Amino acid sequence: MVQPLDKITWGWQGNKSALWWLFLLYRDPENFKKASEGLRKRQAFFTAIKLYLHFFPWMLLFIILVRLFLFEVLKVPVNETLLGDKPLWLFHLTRITSGIAGGIAGGIAVPLSLWRAYHYPLHLVFWGMQRFHPPFLFHPVVWDKMCMLPFYRLEKLLVNFAQQQPERAKKEIEQLIETYPSQRFAALKAKTILLARQAAASPVQEAPHILAALPQGEKGFLKQTTKIQEKIAGIAHSQARVDEVSRPFLKLPLATALAQGIKNFKSRISGFNEPLRSEFSKAADNWLKSAENQSDRAMATLNKTPATQVFRAGDPVNQEQEAFVPRMEVVGEIEQQLTLSTGCPGLVLYGRRRVGKSTIVRNLHGFLPSEVKTASLSMQEAKAFTSAAYFYSEIKKRIADSSIGFYSNEATIDTLPQLQSNLQAANHILLQNKQRLLLIIDEYEKIDGLIGKGTFPAELLDCIREAIQSLRNITWVFCRSHEISELTNAPWTSQLISARTIEVPFFTREETHSLLTNPMQHAKIFKEQKKEPPIFSADFWGENGIERIFAQTAGWPVFVQLVAEQLVDLVNNSNKAHVTQPLFERALDKCTERGHNVFYELLRGESLLPGEWDYLKNFRQKEVQALPQEEALYQSLRRRKVVVEENGEWRLRVPLMARWLSERG
């Protein structure tokens, strides 16, 4: 333990403390000065005497040992003229006294005159042993702050030190810059070299942030660092433009321009001072390789035959143009009902939103017997919901367009009796031709709202019920995404009591596999043109890709299409021939962005009961939750099919929904 300056004792511990303070005075006078600033003049005087007296015996011992070595060991002859009649011991004592004075003078004058040049041999030892990584902490520049002579190529030793102990070296370099004028320039060089190498090892877009710490000045290489920063900022901006685009035909010219810009940068810095020239030339080589790789990948992607994009999420699918899989289980049930000898008493096609109800009804005609015709009307069309008269007229028009030979001279139908008369006429024609007509009303729950507003008469349901019961060659099909018990403005359950309900399920694994591998197998255009439809091998979707898509989407049709759409785009925009793990993860992230409206509507938009959205958003932090206690909340979430029971708890049915909740919900 080192004793304070003003409390140095006369014992052995005091002697060690005194030598320590004298060594501090020798190597770091500034710190010694700070330590002695609190001493009063009297304390300072006696402290100086104590330090001298503690040091004097060691100095005397040193001189005696040197002289004994010279005269007793090496037998250096003594000048007899100088000795005279004096005994030898008196001669030694005389020389010792004069030697003390000379030693003190020499010990002060010589080091000052040489600027601590006697440290230079040790520095050269460090320089020669660089390959062996000598411990830099023993270098004089670390422990002696009075080396006025700059050490040759000290920056190289500092850089090597940084490779062994980065944090310690960084601290030492900053300290040299701040407190050691004679070694500051070498430290500034070392800092520049380390920043340049860090930037070279990083993506070029990160280089401006790293190089913001480059030292600047008015001499040598320091006055050129600002130009380096400006030029690299321009290169980073070009890289950002390359990163912003995903289409290969846009990326290729930008990547080519980036590579040329890096080449120009390397050429222009060839006249810069060291270490800027060599270090940033190496950095430019690294960045150039990256830019050329980006250009090569874009070129390879352009030269690659793209996968045909046939997947489409969100809208009803046209089987002639887009990925389509027939829901044969649903189609089979519809056909079974149509072939009843007594005629079908109406159908209710039920399924949650975005499960493909509209796609089924739009493409039914290709999967039913030829004698079955279809007429479809969506209640989202303005002509259907503007007024009751428009609705009646549109039903008449769609029946006329169904190719059953029905025609009416009435331009518009204003009353229910007129509608019933037209339905009877159409049914008569169908009976004569031994045909049946599917009259499909899509999104029919809107009728319930219009009845509630008074836009449609409540008697409309009486007319429909009568038509279902008596006009058996016309089968009414009502499509909806709500259970019939959820409609409250009209007695739907009693009026459609005889209608059969067919539920549209999610995709099975087999249907998902069929959609992803042979999405256009039912498009007649390819058969007519004698062309092979686009086919995707299972390998295209990556290792276990189809199973992973099914697991992430739970077979919810809109999400299967959404994931497939994003994967095809990403593969086409990359130089890959198939889906990789990184591409798959990027596609899932894209889905939460592109499908935001779907996720929002299915999860939050349909959360109408108090606490319903709060329950669902808890899946941000929890994978499973206890079943809700409120019966109404339990029934609503169960009907919506966004949750599934597992070991007495609920979890989200679709893992992709959980991702959306975490990122955007």
Side-chain angles (χ1 to χ4, degrees):
M1 187 70 178
V2 178
Q3 296 174 346
L5 267 174
D6 58 340
K7 295 181 180 179
I8 295 176
T9 62
W10 292 108
W12 175 245
Q13 186 64 33
N15 188 260
K16 288 196 298 182
S17 298
L19 293 177
W20 186 91
W21 284 109
L22 287 170
F23 184 60
L24 179 65
L25 174 63
Y26 167 79
R27 65 184 182 85
D28 197 350
E30 285 297 324
N31 278 334
F32 183 88
K33 182 179 179 181
K34 290 178 183 178
S36 61
E37 283 177 353
L39 299 178
R40 295 189 300 272
K41 290 184 178 181
R42 182 181 177 84
Q43 286 179 313
F45 175 76
F46 284 109
T47 297
I49 291 181
K50 281 185 180 181
L51 291 176
Y52 177 77
L53 293 176
H54 274 295
F55 179 65
F56 182 81
W58 294 99
M59 181 177 64
L60 184 62
L61 177 62
F62 174 76
I63 295 172
I64 291 173
L65 291 175
V66 169
R67 295 186 69 83
L68 288 175
F69 179 77
L70 290 174
F71 296 112
E72 301 299 334
V73 177
L74 298 181
K75 302 298 183 181
V76 175
V78 180
N79 191 322
E80 296 294 336
T81 305
L82 293 176
L83 180 61
D85 298 331
K86 300 175 183 177
L88 184 60
W89 65 270
L90 183 60
F91 172 78
H92 284 309
L93 182 60
T94 304
R95 298 296 291 174
I96 287 172
T97 305
S98 62
I100 291 173
I104 293 173
I108 295 173
V110 173
L112 287 177
S113 64
L114 295 178
W115 293 355
R116 303 278 172 93
Y118 48 79
H119 287 321
Y120 234 89
L122 182 57
H123 169 71
L124 295 177
V125 170
F126 273 85
W127 180 260
M129 297 180 64
Q130 287 182 78
R131 68 177 65 183
F132 303 107
H133 304 293
F136 185 76
L137 294 177
F138 292 109
H139 192 281
V141 80
V142 176
W143 52 266
D144 191 344
K145 303 301 180 184
M146 297 299 292
C147 299
M148 298 297 110
L149 190 65
F151 289 112
Y152 173 72
R153 298 295 296 274
L154 176 65
E155 65 273 10
K156 192 168 184 181
L157 294 179
L158 290 169
V159 171
N160 289 342
F161 182 34
Q163 294 174 351
Q164 303 167 47
Q165 301 182 44
E167 293 302 320
R168 184 69 183 270
K170 181 179 178 181
K171 182 178 179 181
E172 186 64 35
I173 290 171
E174 293 298 333
Q175 189 172 357
L176 290 175
I177 293 173
E178 293 174 6
T179 65
Y180 218 141
S182 62
Q183 314 301 331
R184 180 178 292 123
F185 197 70
L188 290 171
K189 275 189 177 183
K191 182 176 182 178
T192 301
I193 292 170
L194 292 174
L195 288 172
R197 293 183 182 181
Q198 183 183 353
S202 304
V204 68
Q205 57 267 37
E206 297 178 12
H209 303 289
I210 297 171
L211 299 178
L214 273 178
Q216 299 176 2
E218 300 297 329
K219 297 181 180 180
F221 76 93
L222 294 174
K223 65 182 180 181
Q224 298 173 328
T225 55
T226 301
K227 293 181 180 179
I228 288 285
Q229 291 171 327
E230 292 172 353
K231 293 180 183 299
I232 292 178
I235 294 174
H237 178 70
S238 298
Q239 178 64 64
R241 294 181 61 197
V242 174
D243 295 338
E244 286 173 358
V245 300
S246 57
R247 300 295 181 183
F249 71 93
L250 295 175
K251 188 182 286 287
L252 179 59
L254 292 175
T256 303
L258 171 63
Q260 187 59 49
I262 296 173
K263 291 178 182 177
N264 293 340
F265 166 74
K266 183 177 179 181
S267 176
R268 288 169 184 169
I269 65 170
S270 60
F272 279 39
N273 293 332
E274 291 291 356
L276 300 180
R277 179 175 64 250
S278 59
E279 293 299 330
F280 284 101
S281 179
K282 296 174 184 176
D285 289 337
N286 291 341
W287 297 332
L288 182 60
K289 289 178 183 178
S290 175
E292 289 175 341
N293 287 338
Q294 293 176 85
S295 179
D296 292 342
R297 288 196 298 269
M299 178 64 74
T301 303
L302 281 176
N303 293 334
K304 182 185 71 174
T305 303
T308 306
Q309 181 56 279
V310 295
F311 299 96
R312 180 180 175 84
D315 298 323
V317 169
N318 182 344
Q319 70 177 35
E320 294 297 325
Q321 300 173 346
E322 296 150 346
F324 170 78
V325 59
R327 313 301 297 278
M328 297 310 299
E329 181 181 351
V330 177
V331 173
E333 287 192 55
I334 294 175
E335 184 179 5
Q336 185 180 14
Q337 292 296 322
L338 289 175
T339 56
L340 293 174
S341 59
T342 57
C344 177
L347 297 173
V348 175
L349 194 63
Y350 164 71
R352 298 311 300 178
R353 300 182 72 176
R354 304 299 183 182
V355 297
K357 301 182 300 296
S358 298
T359 296
I360 291 174
V361 299
R362 172 177 287 191
N363 298 282
L364 265 177
H365 60 277
F367 299 94
L368 296 175
S370 59
E371 64 271 15
V372 178
K373 307 300 181 180
T374 60
S376 179
L377 174 63
S378 172
M379 289 307 300
Q380 292 184 338
E381 296 182 27
K383 290 183 178 180
F385 63 74
T386 302
S387 69
Y390 277 171
F391 175 66
Y392 307 154
S393 300
E394 280 301 307
I395 288 180
K396 182 210 71 170
K397 182 178 182 300
R398 301 303 166 94
I399 294 175
D401 292 342
S402 64
S403 304
I404 64 171
F406 169 76
Y407 177 75
S408 174
N409 290 324
E410 296 173 301
T412 59
I413 301 177
D414 300 317
T415 64
L416 283 174
Q418 287 178 299
L419 173 63
Q420 191 169 24
S421 175
N422 277 270
L423 290 172
Q424 289 171 345
N427 187 73
H428 180 71
I429 294 173
L430 290 167
L431 190 60
Q432 286 183 331
N433 296 334
K434 297 182 180 181
Q435 294 176 328
R436 292 181 183 273
L437 175 68
L438 283 180
L439 181 55
I440 303 167
I441 309 299
D442 199 5
E443 306 292 345
Y444 84 95
E445 55 260 52
K446 197 169 183 69
I447 296 176
D448 184 72
L450 294 170
I451 292 175
K453 293 178 181 179
T455 305
F456 284 10
E459 293 78 13
L460 173 61
L461 294 189
D462 297 321
C463 179
I464 293 175
R465 179 178 180 179
E466 175 61 24
I468 289 175
Q469 291 179 344
S470 60
L471 306 178
R472 289 304 184 94
N473 282 65
I474 299 177
T475 299
W476 291 71
V477 181
F478 297 94
C479 299
R480 57 186 167 79
S481 57
H482 293 79
E483 289 188 358
I484 198 168
S485 60
E486 298 178 72
L487 307 179
T488 58
N489 294 307
W492 289 91
T493 52
S494 63
Q495 297 289 18
L496 300 181
I497 192 170
S498 59
R500 311 292 170 83
T501 298
I502 298 176
E503 183 170 353
V504 180
F506 301 124
F507 282 158
T508 63
R509 280 181 168 80
E510 292 72 21
E511 287 172 331
T512 303
H513 187 279
S514 178
L515 179 78
L516 296 176
T517 55
N518 200 356
M520 302 296 291
Q521 59 181 310
H522 297 284
K524 297 178 182 178
I525 188 172
F526 292 101
K527 295 179 181 178
E528 294 171 357
Q529 297 178 356
K530 297 181 180 180
K531 295 181 179 179
E532 290 295 326
I535 295 176
F536 295 79
S537 68
D539 292 338
F540 173 83
W541 304 104
E543 185 177 359
N544 298 322
I546 296 177
E547 185 61 32
R548 290 165 66 196
I549 293 172
F550 183 80
Q552 284 292 326
T553 62
W556 204 304
V558 67
F559 297 127
V560 175
Q561 292 269 15
L562 182 62
V563 174
E565 180 184 350
Q566 301 310 312
L567 286 173
V568 171
D569 279 346
L570 288 175
V571 170
N572 284 341
N573 292 334
S574 71
N575 61 345
K576 307 295 183 183
H578 56 81
V579 175
T580 61
Q581 177 62 26
L583 285 182
F584 191 85
E585 290 299 321
R586 283 178 59 193
L588 296 183
D589 290 336
K590 280 285 187 183
C591 287
T592 61
E593 174 188 342
R594 300 286 176 84
H596 173 74
N597 292 345
V598 177
F599 288 109
Y600 183 92
E601 192 60 31
L602 289 176
L603 290 173
R604 188 164 188 174
E606 291 189 346
S607 296
L608 304 178
L609 297 179
E612 196 166 2
W613 168 240
D614 291 332
Y615 182 89
L616 290 176
K617 70 182 181 182
N618 282 338
F619 283 111
R620 293 172 182 167
Q621 294 86 26
K622 302 176 182 178
E623 188 173 344
V624 295
Q625 293 190 73
L627 275 60
Q629 298 299 313
E630 299 84 353
E631 181 63 20
L633 187 58
Y634 172 86
Q635 292 296 341
S636 177
L637 289 170
R638 183 190 60 79
R639 282 195 301 267
R640 290 169 59 188
K641 296 187 181 297
V642 293
V643 291
V644 63
E645 188 169 344
E646 186 177 85
N647 299 324
E649 296 179 306
W650 271 354
R651 63 171 174 81
L652 282 177
R653 179 183 297 273
V654 181
L656 204 54
M657 286 182 172
R659 183 182 286 253
W660 177 83
L661 276 174
S662 298
E663 296 178 3
R664 297 176 178 271

PDB file of all heavy atoms in Angstrom, residues 381-392:
ATOM      1  N   GLU A 381     -72.841  -5.694 -54.798  1.00  0.00           N
ATOM      2  CA  GLU A 381     -73.002  -4.881 -55.997  1.00  0.00           C
ATOM      3  C   GLU A 381     -74.048  -3.799 -55.741  1.00  0.00           C
ATOM      4  O   GLU A 381     -75.095  -4.048 -55.137  1.00  0.00           O
ATOM      5  CB  GLU A 381     -73.431  -5.751 -57.173  1.00  0.00           C
ATOM      6  CG  GLU A 381     -72.397  -6.793 -57.570  1.00  0.00           C
ATOM      7  CD  GLU A 381     -72.843  -7.609 -58.776  1.00  0.00           C
ATOM      8  OE1 GLU A 381     -73.626  -7.076 -59.583  1.00  0.00           O
ATOM      9  OE2 GLU A 381     -72.429  -8.771 -58.892  1.00  0.00           O
ATOM     10  N   ALA A 382     -73.766  -2.600 -56.232  1.00  0.00           N
ATOM     11  CA  ALA A 382     -74.669  -1.470 -55.983  1.00  0.00           C
ATOM     12  C   ALA A 382     -76.069  -1.722 -56.520  1.00  0.00           C
ATOM     13  O   ALA A 382     -77.069  -1.332 -55.913  1.00  0.00           O
ATOM     14  CB  ALA A 382     -74.081  -0.201 -56.606  1.00  0.00           C
ATOM     15  N   LYS A 383     -76.175  -2.394 -57.672  1.00  0.00           N
ATOM     16  CA  LYS A 383     -77.490  -2.655 -58.264  1.00  0.00           C
ATOM     17  C   LYS A 383     -78.314  -3.619 -57.423  1.00  0.00           C
ATOM     18  O   LYS A 383     -79.523  -3.702 -57.585  1.00  0.00           O
ATOM     19  CB  LYS A 383     -77.327  -3.222 -59.676  1.00  0.00           C
ATOM     20  CG  LYS A 383     -76.810  -2.210 -60.683  1.00  0.00           C
ATOM     21  CD  LYS A 383     -76.752  -2.808 -62.071  1.00  0.00           C
ATOM     22  CE  LYS A 383     -76.284  -1.784 -63.101  1.00  0.00           C
ATOM     23  NZ  LYS A 383     -76.232  -2.353 -64.467  1.00  0.00           N
ATOM     24  N   ALA A 384     -77.636  -4.332 -56.533  1.00  0.00           N
ATOM     25  CA  ALA A 384     -78.355  -5.300 -55.708  1.00  0.00           C
ATOM     26  C   ALA A 384     -78.872  -4.690 -54.419  1.00  0.00           C
ATOM     27  O   ALA A 384     -79.933  -5.075 -53.931  1.00  0.00           O
ATOM     28  CB  ALA A 384     -77.455  -6.490 -55.397  1.00  0.00           C
ATOM     29  N   PHE A 385     -78.145  -3.738 -53.853  1.00  0.00           N
ATOM     30  CA  PHE A 385     -78.551  -3.253 -52.527  1.00  0.00           C
ATOM     31  C   PHE A 385     -79.103  -1.830 -52.511  1.00  0.00           C
ATOM     32  O   PHE A 385     -79.515  -1.333 -51.475  1.00  0.00           O
ATOM     33  CB  PHE A 385     -77.381  -3.341 -51.534  1.00  0.00           C
ATOM     34  CG  PHE A 385     -76.185  -2.477 -51.862  1.00  0.00           C
ATOM     35  CD1 PHE A 385     -76.218  -1.102 -51.690  1.00  0.00           C
ATOM     36  CD2 PHE A 385     -75.006  -3.050 -52.314  1.00  0.00           C
ATOM     37  CE1 PHE A 385     -75.116  -0.318 -51.969  1.00  0.00           C
ATOM     38  CE2 PHE A 385     -73.893  -2.267 -52.598  1.00  0.00           C
ATOM     39  CZ  PHE A 385     -73.955  -0.896 -52.423  1.00  0.00           C
ATOM     40  N   THR A 386     -79.137  -1.156 -53.675  1.00  0.00           N
ATOM     41  CA  THR A 386     -79.619   0.225 -53.676  1.00  0.00           C
ATOM     42  C   THR A 386     -81.101   0.325 -53.323  1.00  0.00           C
ATOM     43  O   THR A 386     -81.522   1.184 -52.557  1.00  0.00           O
ATOM     44  CB  THR A 386     -79.357   0.880 -55.038  1.00  0.00           C
ATOM     45  OG1 THR A 386     -77.962   0.824 -55.319  1.00  0.00           O
ATOM     46  CG2 THR A 386     -79.833   2.329 -55.048  1.00  0.00           C
ATOM     47  N   SER A 387     -81.890  -0.579 -53.885  1.00  0.00           N
ATOM     48  CA  SER A 387     -83.330  -0.588 -53.584  1.00  0.00           C
ATOM     49  C   SER A 387     -83.866  -1.990 -53.831  1.00  0.00           C
ATOM     50  O   SER A 387     -83.221  -2.819 -54.486  1.00  0.00           O
ATOM     51  CB  SER A 387     -84.078   0.429 -54.457  1.00  0.00           C
ATOM     52  OG  SER A 387     -84.077   0.013 -55.819  1.00  0.00           O
ATOM     53  N   ALA A 388     -85.074  -2.237 -53.331  1.00  0.00           N
ATOM     54  CA  ALA A 388     -85.709  -3.538 -53.541  1.00  0.00           C
ATOM     55  C   ALA A 388     -85.976  -3.773 -55.018  1.00  0.00           C
ATOM     56  O   ALA A 388     -85.806  -4.887 -55.530  1.00  0.00           O
ATOM     57  CB  ALA A 388     -86.999  -3.621 -52.727  1.00  0.00           C
ATOM     58  N   ALA A 389     -86.390  -2.722 -55.720  1.00  0.00           N
ATOM     59  CA  ALA A 389     -86.689  -2.863 -57.150  1.00  0.00           C
ATOM     60  C   ALA A 389     -85.441  -3.262 -57.928  1.00  0.00           C
ATOM     61  O   ALA A 389     -85.490  -4.108 -58.826  1.00  0.00           O
ATOM     62  CB  ALA A 389     -87.262  -1.556 -57.693  1.00  0.00           C
ATOM     63  N   TYR A 390     -84.311  -2.639 -57.607  1.00  0.00           N
ATOM     64  CA  TYR A 390     -83.057  -3.012 -58.263  1.00  0.00           C
ATOM     65  C   TYR A 390     -82.723  -4.474 -57.980  1.00  0.00           C
ATOM     66  O   TYR A 390     -82.257  -5.205 -58.859  1.00  0.00           O
ATOM     67  CB  TYR A 390     -81.921  -2.113 -57.775  1.00  0.00           C
ATOM     68  CG  TYR A 390     -81.819  -0.785 -58.482  1.00  0.00           C
ATOM     69  CD1 TYR A 390     -80.961   0.208 -58.012  1.00  0.00           C
ATOM     70  CD2 TYR A 390     -82.576  -0.515 -59.615  1.00  0.00           C
ATOM     71  CE1 TYR A 390     -80.858   1.434 -58.652  1.00  0.00           C
ATOM     72  CE2 TYR A 390     -82.477   0.710 -60.261  1.00  0.00           C
ATOM     73  CZ  TYR A 390     -81.633   1.684 -59.779  1.00  0.00           C
ATOM     74  OH  TYR A 390     -81.536   2.889 -60.415  1.00  0.00           O
ATOM     75  N   PHE A 391     -82.929  -4.888 -56.739  1.00  0.00           N
ATOM     76  CA  PHE A 391     -82.632  -6.268 -56.355  1.00  0.00           C
ATOM     77  C   PHE A 391     -83.485  -7.255 -57.168  1.00  0.00           C
ATOM     78  O   PHE A 391     -82.965  -8.235 -57.723  1.00  0.00           O
ATOM     79  CB  PHE A 391     -82.876  -6.440 -54.859  1.00  0.00           C
ATOM     80  CG  PHE A 391     -82.717  -7.853 -54.363  1.00  0.00           C
ATOM     81  CD1 PHE A 391     -81.497  -8.497 -54.375  1.00  0.00           C
ATOM     82  CD2 PHE A 391     -83.829  -8.552 -53.896  1.00  0.00           C
ATOM     83  CE1 PHE A 391     -81.359  -9.795 -53.922  1.00  0.00           C
ATOM     84  CE2 PHE A 391     -83.699  -9.859 -53.438  1.00  0.00           C
ATOM     85  CZ  PHE A 391     -82.467 -10.475 -53.448  1.00  0.00           C
ATOM     86  N   TYR A 392     -84.798  -6.992 -57.268  1.00  0.00           N
ATOM     87  CA  TYR A 392     -85.688  -7.883 -58.027  1.00  0.00           C
ATOM     88  C   TYR A 392     -85.259  -7.934 -59.488  1.00  0.00           C
ATOM     89  O   TYR A 392     -85.214  -9.016 -60.110  1.00  0.00           O
ATOM     90  CB  TYR A 392     -87.137  -7.394 -57.946  1.00  0.00           C
ATOM     91  CG  TYR A 392     -87.670  -7.170 -56.551  1.00  0.00           C
ATOM     92  CD1 TYR A 392     -88.703  -6.253 -56.334  1.00  0.00           C
ATOM     93  CD2 TYR A 392     -87.163  -7.859 -55.457  1.00  0.00           C
ATOM     94  CE1 TYR A 392     -89.209  -6.027 -55.055  1.00  0.00           C
ATOM     95  CE2 TYR A 392     -87.661  -7.642 -54.175  1.00  0.00           C
ATOM     96  CZ  TYR A 392     -88.682  -6.709 -53.985  1.00  0.00           C
ATOM     97  OH  TYR A 392     -89.185  -6.477 -52.738  1.00  0.00           O
TER      98      TYR A 392
END
